[in-house]
Amino acid sequence: MSGIMQSVSETEARERVERLRTQATSATASAELAEALLNWSYALHGDGRTAEAVEAAEEALKTLSPIFLANPAAYRDAMNAIVAQYLGISQHSGRKADLSLIEPLAVPLGRVEHLDDDE
């Protein structure tokens, strides 16, 4: 995944998501889609469209989760950014985050972070 946080307009972010949705047939393409969804969530939130921002962040979380679980070290930074956005924007919107989406990620995220501490 390239730079996790890119400053783009909501329209540009949405168009990128729509384009990538049709191409997400591999792990790399799905990871790019998750990044695009994260950026779209940032843009939606910036436009005051909090409910839609939560939905985009949740879709990013669901999109990247299987890829992250297969290779936590490679996608740690991306998953951390998505989880942070999802939890933060859920709290901001007053919507309860679906913790069942995050619970399976906790151990692999912690394990990867712990491995980095040993280096």
Side-chain angles (χ1 to χ4, degrees), residues 1 4 13-14 16-17 20 31-41 56 60:
M1 289 175 71
I4 296 301
R14 179 179 33 81
R16 183 166 184 245
V17 166
L20 290 173
E32 284 184 55
L33 174 58
E35 177 185 6
L37 285 159
L38 176 61
N39 286 319
W40 189 26
S41 179

Side-chain angles (χ1 to χ4, degrees), residues 9-84:
S9 73
E10 186 279 328
T11 301
E12 291 171 320
R14 179 179 33 81
E15 288 172 355
R16 183 166 184 245
V17 166
E18 290 171 357
R19 186 174 59 256
L20 290 173
R21 276 185 177 142
T22 64
Q23 301 168 356
T25 58
S26 69
T28 301
S30 292
E32 284 184 55
L33 174 58
E35 177 185 6
L37 285 159
L38 176 61
N39 286 319
W40 189 26
S41 179
Y42 292 143
L44 287 163
H45 180 78
D47 284 351
R49 296 165 60 187
T50 308
E52 292 170 271
V54 172
E55 291 172 11
E58 185 173 298
E59 185 179 347
L61 183 62
K62 289 176 180 178
T63 300
L64 190 61
S65 287
I67 300 160
F68 167 75
L69 290 171
N71 190 353
Y75 296 103
R76 179 199 56 181
D77 291 342
M79 186 54 76
N80 275 328
I82 291 169
V83 168

Side-chain angles (χ1 to χ4, degrees), residues 88-119:
I89 199 73
S90 293
Q91 182 178 17
H92 183 264
S93 72
R95 177 177 160 183
K96 185 175 180 175
D98 182 353
L99 297 182
S100 70
L101 297 174
I102 297 168
E103 288 170 354
L105 310 174
V107 170
L109 277 173
R111 194 175 302 142
V112 170
E113 289 174 4
H114 179 69
L115 290 174
D116 287 348
D117 290 343
D118 291 342
E119 294 179 347

